[in-house]
């Protein structure tokens, strides 16, 4: 009989062997020239610049930032309503949260853009497409963030509120100055994760029908792909997304390991 | 040997700093305070002792309405804090409270801990608030810690900052809930020394404590609570030296 140690070592060798075989198979079976033509054509890559940065990446960041900012405010308001002692506030907040967490973001985009025009034919959402993106991303993100923020507020020790009240602060003053700032420190990692999700959801703006200067990364990549009959533009914009999201992920992981150590 | 004056009308209840009348408090079916009557005169130091769970913290927390009494009335400097229309926030700003767990605000510097309520509640200008804060930090011997964050303070330093924070509101009286129970033994003395100074300056104080030495030396009055009632109260030397009730005797024999 092999000892558990020997068995574990054998298992590890098997895993390495499988990995090597798979890599070999890919290297031998793939038609590298064809792949390169389809996925990374240098001429097509060059043609993406500078617009992929100056228009597409810029717009993705703007849409995401506006949606996230609105979502953060909305999430905080919904969280405070959820914690309110006034019943109707709690019910309304719960309803809004469940509604927008339960719907696909795409549905929210459609409902907002088409629905608003149908409901108010002679009015416009302010700031045009940016207004719709901000509302739609903010509603979806805010519904998620509300629950995170609420959990954060509840994770702040009760003694903090009591100390603030014992100094004569009102409930809302204590919330603003003492509890909420501490809650946000606790929930910074999940909020950053939400920012990553919203970055990707901002691609849904394509549904609005955009002019070139409003293209964000996904729309820009799709148009480029159609023109070039080649997947290279998609690879380029994919790398642009990773340029935003990977650093954010690293920041989250840093914060989490620091919180782990502080415990 | 206390030197501060006991007011002539120690029995004249309208002149009391704290006056508690027939106080009851229940949590659900659990009646924790079963009719408490007592008062604290101006400049008096009242120590409250009793076994864990006897309702000492609840009593103290009722005095500044962190807990809402089920029935009974509480007057602070003649104002009824239990009145429906009382401005509880304003009354609280006149009552300093010190907690067992310090409850400093961890996201603020020591100085900010001391100034924020002065500015937001008392409406003091920043300069004045800082001046008051520095004076109180100096008083508790921590002037050099004003820009430190609470995480970098020892337990004893934290509790002294918490006392300075409460004092910075210029309160009429101070409540202490086991202020030294969370401290390492060698740090207890510093905190008790600060409290002793406060008492000798004539601060009205209500102190829940297990420090019998402090109660004997500094207290004007000692209250022994058990199971939600005041069993015995009086001069600390008498209560500690010659307890009249069997429950007091049995408690003291365990802790002394
Ligand atoms: N917020 C609360 N909810 C329910 N029960 C409580 C609460 N606070 C205190 N109690 C109960 O009241 C009793 C007295 O508690 P406390 O006043 O903290 O006693 P002490 O300070 O003398 O140890 C305990 O039985 C405790 O479980
Ligand atoms: Mg207690």
């Amino acid at each position: 009989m092999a000892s558990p140690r020997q068995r574990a070592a054998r298992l590890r060798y098997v895993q390495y062997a499988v990995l090597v075989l798979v890599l070999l198979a890919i290297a031998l079976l793939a038609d590298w020239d064809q792949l390169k033509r389809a996925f990374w054509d240098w001429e097509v890559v060059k043609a993406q610049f500078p617009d992929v940065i100056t228009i597409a990446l810029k717009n993705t960041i703007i849409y995401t930032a506006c949606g996230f900012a609105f979502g953060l405010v909305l999430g905080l308001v919904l969280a405070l309503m959820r914690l309110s002692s006034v019943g109707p506030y709690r019910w309304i907040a719960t309803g809004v949260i469940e509604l927008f967490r339960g719907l696909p973001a795409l549905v929210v985009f459609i409902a907002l853009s088409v629905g608003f025009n149908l409901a108010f034919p002679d009015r416009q959402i302010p700031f045009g497409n940016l207004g719709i993106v901000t509302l739609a991303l903010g509603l979806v993100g805010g519904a998620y963030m509300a629950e995170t923020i609420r959990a954060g507020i509840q994770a702040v020790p009760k003694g903090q509120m009591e100390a603030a009240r014992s100094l004569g602060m009102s409930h809302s003053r204590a919330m603003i100055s003492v509890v909420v700032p501490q809650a946000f420190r606790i929930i910074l990692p999940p909020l950053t994760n939400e920012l990553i999700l919203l970055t990707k959801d901002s691609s849904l703006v394509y549904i609005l029908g955009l002019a070139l200067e409003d293209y964000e990364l996904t729309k820009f990549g799709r148009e480029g792909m159609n023109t070039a009959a080649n997947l290279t533009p998609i690879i380029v914009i994919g790398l642009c997304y990773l340029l935003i999201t990977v650093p954010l992920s690293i920041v989250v992981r840093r914060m989490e390991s620091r919180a782990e150590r502080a415990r | 040997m206390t030197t501060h004056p006991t007011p002539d009308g120690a029995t004249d209840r309208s002149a009391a700093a704290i006056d508690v009348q027939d106080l009851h408090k229940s949590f659900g079916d659990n009646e924790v305070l079963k009719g408490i009557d007592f008062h604290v005169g101006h400049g008096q130091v009242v120590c409250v002792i009793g076994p864990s769970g006897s309702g000492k913290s609840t009593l103290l927390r009722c005095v500044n309405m962190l807990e809402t009494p089920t029935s009974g009335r509480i007057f602070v400097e003649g104002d009824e804090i239990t009145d429906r229309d009382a401005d509880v926030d304003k009354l609280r700003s006149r009552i300093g409270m010190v907690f067992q767990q310090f409850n400093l605000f961890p996201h603020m510097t020591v100085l900010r801990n001391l100034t924020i309520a002065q500015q937001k509640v008392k409406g003091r200008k920043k300069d004045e608030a800082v001046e008051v804060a520095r004076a109180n930090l100096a008083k508790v011997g921590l002037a050099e810690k004003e820009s430190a964050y609470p995480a970098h303070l020892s337990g004893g330093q934290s509790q002294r900052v918490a006392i300075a924070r409460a004092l910075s509101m210029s309160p009429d009286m101070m409540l202490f809930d086991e202020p030294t129970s969370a401290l390492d033994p060698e740090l207890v003395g510093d905190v008790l020394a600060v409290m002793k100074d406060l008492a000798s300056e004539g601060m009205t104080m209500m102190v829940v404590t297990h420090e019998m030495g402090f109660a004997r030396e500094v207290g004007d009055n000692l209250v022994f609570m058990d199971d939600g009632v005041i069993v015995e109260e009086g001069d600390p030397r008498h209560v500690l030296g010659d307890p009249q009730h069997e429950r007091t005797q049995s408690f003291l024999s365990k802790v002394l």
Side-chain angles (χ1 to χ4, degrees), chain A residues 156-174 176-182 185, chain B residues 61 64 66 89-90 92-93 95-97 99 102-108 113 116-117 120-121 165-166 169:
Chain A
V156 175
K158 276 214 157 45
Q160 292 291 309
M161 174 57 93
E162 291 183 346
R165 294 309 296 273
S166 79
L167 290 166
M169 291 188 203
S170 65
H171 181 85
S172 40
R173 167 50 62 193
I176 294 168
S177 293
V178 175
V179 177
V180 169
Q182 293 183 59
R185 296 191 162 194
Chain B
R61 293 158 57 83
N64 72 352
L66 282 181
D89 290 340
K90 184 142 188 227
R92 278 203 195 106
S93 72
I95 308 173
M97 179 134 186
F99 303 85
F102 328 135
N103 295 343
L104 293 179
F105 306 136
H107 58 304
M108 300 177 190
N113 264 276
I116 183 161
K120 306 284 184 195
V121 177
R165 176 174 70 178
M169 296 299 283

Side-chain angles (χ1 to χ4, degrees), chain A residues 157-219:
Chain A
K158 276 214 157 45
Q160 292 291 309
M161 174 57 93
E162 291 183 346
R165 294 309 296 273
S166 79
L167 290 166
M169 291 188 203
S170 65
H171 181 85
S172 40
R173 167 50 62 193
M175 270 289 175
I176 294 168
S177 293
V178 175
V179 177
V180 169
Q182 293 183 59
F184 270 94
R185 296 191 162 194
I186 300 173
I187 59 173
L188 219 48
L191 283 187
T192 314
N193 277 328
E194 185 59 32
L195 181 58
I196 293 173
L197 292 179
L198 284 186
T199 306
K200 297 186 287 179
D201 278 349
S202 69
S203 64
L204 295 171
V205 69
Y206 80 87
I207 204 79
L208 303 181
L210 301 171
L212 174 64
E213 70 267 20
D214 289 338
Y215 282 8
E216 45 64 66
L217 285 170
T218 299
K219 177 75 175 164

Side-chain angles (χ1 to χ4, degrees), chain A residues 40-262:
Chain A
W40 197 254
D41 182 331
W42 274 110
E43 288 310 311
V44 179
V45 170
K46 280 182 211 148
Q48 307 305 308
F49 288 88
D51 286 359
V52 68
I53 305 291
T54 57
I55 294 176
L57 181 63
K58 184 194 80 179
N59 280 331
T60 290
I61 290 175
I62 290 176
Y63 295 159
T64 307
C66 288
F68 186 73
F70 175 54
L72 207 53
V73 173
L74 181 69
L76 179 58
V77 170
L78 288 173
L80 292 174
M81 284 171 74
R82 282 275 273 144
L83 294 167
S84 165
S85 53
V86 182
Y89 278 165
R90 287 199 305 274
W91 307 329
I92 292 171
T94 307
V96 172
I97 291 169
E98 292 307 330
L99 178 65
F100 288 100
R101 279 205 310 183
L103 293 177
L106 184 56
V107 171
V108 177
F109 268 94
I110 296 173
L112 271 179
S113 58
V114 181
F116 190 89
N117 284 339
L118 290 178
F120 308 100
D122 40 353
R123 295 228 200 127
Q124 295 233 308
I125 293 185
F127 305 110
N129 283 337
L130 182 58
I132 298 178
V133 183
T134 303
L135 274 181
L137 286 183
L139 282 168
V140 172
Y144 276 98
M145 287 190 272
E147 291 297 89
T148 308
I149 295 171
R150 181 177 64 94
I153 288 173
Q154 287 177 323
V156 175
K158 276 214 157 45
Q160 292 291 309
M161 174 57 93
E162 291 183 346
R165 294 309 296 273
S166 79
L167 290 166
M169 291 188 203
S170 65
H171 181 85
S172 40
R173 167 50 62 193
M175 270 289 175
I176 294 168
S177 293
V178 175
V179 177
V180 169
Q182 293 183 59
F184 270 94
R185 296 191 162 194
I186 300 173
I187 59 173
L188 219 48
L191 283 187
T192 314
N193 277 328
E194 185 59 32
L195 181 58
I196 293 173
L197 292 179
L198 284 186
T199 306
K200 297 186 287 179
D201 278 349
S202 69
S203 64
L204 295 171
V205 69
Y206 80 87
I207 204 79
L208 303 181
L210 301 171
L212 174 64
E213 70 267 20
D214 289 338
Y215 282 8
E216 45 64 66
L217 285 170
T218 299
K219 177 75 175 164
F220 185 88
R222 278 162 46 126
E223 293 300 321
M225 179 181 72
N226 290 342
T227 321
N230 185 294
L231 209 63
T232 305
I234 295 290
I235 305 283
V236 172
I237 64 109
L239 290 174
C240 286
Y241 274 116
L242 296 181
L243 207 62
I244 305 175
T245 55
V246 170
L248 286 175
S249 287
I250 292 173
V251 169
V252 172
R253 220 162 293 148
R254 284 256 174 88
M255 287 189 293
E256 276 169 349
S257 71
R258 203 169 46 187
E260 199 65 41
R261 259 179 287 139

Side-chain angles (χ1 to χ4, degrees), chain A residues 13-24:
Chain A
Y13 287 132
V14 172
Q15 289 178 13
Y16 276 119
V18 169
L19 183 65
V20 168
L21 281 178
V22 169
L23 289 177
L24 264 179

